[in-house]
């Protein structure tokens, strides 16, 4: 039996159409939600990657401190801040002058590193600030090395041994109420490894 076109659609056809549109809407909603979650993960990963890169920059700056240099206040620090001078060889600062690096906690509860020195091509001061961590609490910096007063090597919350560098520096903090993995550095590691012990076949450090 042929149905006349003026009679419109049946209730069954309407229900089938609505069911198909509902399936399409569910599919689109799941797709959009998946894309949103993927974008959030990518943004979080990108931010974390930037922090890791900055931490590696700090490690490189500490390891490039010339241990044989005679420079007042070459390395000094306490439990909440660290300041040292180094020579940057990557072209960002002029290698002919000292670059000062300060590690401290900012007013926005971020762990940041400030670098100040000379521009490699312009005789102008250059200052750069890099973030190492955000929303931190309980920042603690400790130093291990030979201390003149005790005549032995030990850990301490203050380093004021003049031109002598500590053997190790450890930076710890809490993030979101949980302790983060500590950062451990060897000051002057690059120059330390240039000297080989006569009793060892591998370089020290």
């Amino acid at each position: 039996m042929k149905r006349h076109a003026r009679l419109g659609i049946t209730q069954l056809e309407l229900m089938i159409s609505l069911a198909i549109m509902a399936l399409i809407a569910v599919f689109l909603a799941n797709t959009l939600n998946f894309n949103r979650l993927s974008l959030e993960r990518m943004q979080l990963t990108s931010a974390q990657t930037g922090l890791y890169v900055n931490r590696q920059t700090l490690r490189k700056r500490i390891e490039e401190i010339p241990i044989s240099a005679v420079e007042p206040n070459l390395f000094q620090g306490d439990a909440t801040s660290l300041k040292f001078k180094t020579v940057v060889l990557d072209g960002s600062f002029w290698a002919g002058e000292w670059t000062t690096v300060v590690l401290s906690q900012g007013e926005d509860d971020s762990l940041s590193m400030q670098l100040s020195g000379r521009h490699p091509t312009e005789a102008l001061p250059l200052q750069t600030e890099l973030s190492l961590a955000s929303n931190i609490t309980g920042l603690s910096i400790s130093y291990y090395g030979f201390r003149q007063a005790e005549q032995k090597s030990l850990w301490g919350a203050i380093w004021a041994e003049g031109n002598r560098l500590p053997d190790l520096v450890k930076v710890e903090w809490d993030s979101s109420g949980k302790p983060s993995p500590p950062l451990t550095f060897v000051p002057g590691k690059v120059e330390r490894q240039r000297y080989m012990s006569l009793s060892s076949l591998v370089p020290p450090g």
Side-chain angles (χ1 to χ4, degrees), residues 18-112:
L18 291 176
I20 293 175
M21 286 189 292
L23 290 175
I24 294 175
V26 170
F27 174 76
L28 290 176
N30 289 335
T31 302
L32 293 175
N33 185 55
F34 175 79
N35 291 336
R36 179 183 61 83
L37 294 175
S38 299
L39 180 60
E40 290 178 355
R41 292 192 186 101
M42 289 177 60
Q43 291 175 342
L44 179 61
T45 302
S46 177
Q48 291 294 331
T49 301
L51 296 178
Y52 295 147
V53 170
N54 293 341
R55 294 173 192 174
Q56 286 302 112
T57 301
L58 173 62
R59 180 182 303 279
K60 186 177 181 180
R61 297 295 169 257
I62 291 181
E63 292 178 351
E64 288 177 346
I65 300 176
I67 60 176
S68 60
V70 180
E71 177 70 14
N73 302 321
L74 180 65
F75 192 103
Q76 54 188 341
D78 54 33
T80 58
S81 64
L82 167 63
K83 181 179 180 180
F84 62 90
K85 297 178 181 179
T86 186
V87 176
V88 179
L89 303 176
D90 61 4
S92 57
F93 290 87
W94 184 34
E97 288 190 3
W98 291 102
T99 298
T100 302
V101 182
V102 178
L103 177 67
S104 61
Q105 181 176 354
E107 296 180 356
D108 56 350
D109 292 332
S110 65
L111 180 62
S112 61

Side-chain angles (χ1 to χ4, degrees), residues 164-183:
R164 194 155 31 84
L165 299 178
D167 297 326
L168 292 172
V169 177
K170 183 166 61 175
V171 183
E172 302 172 285
W173 69 88
D174 295 338
S175 181
S176 300
K178 298 179 181 179
S180 297
L183 301 178

Side-chain angles (χ1 to χ4, degrees), residues 195-204:
Y195 303 97
M196 181 175 292
S197 173
L198 296 177
S199 60
S200 173
L201 296 179
V202 296

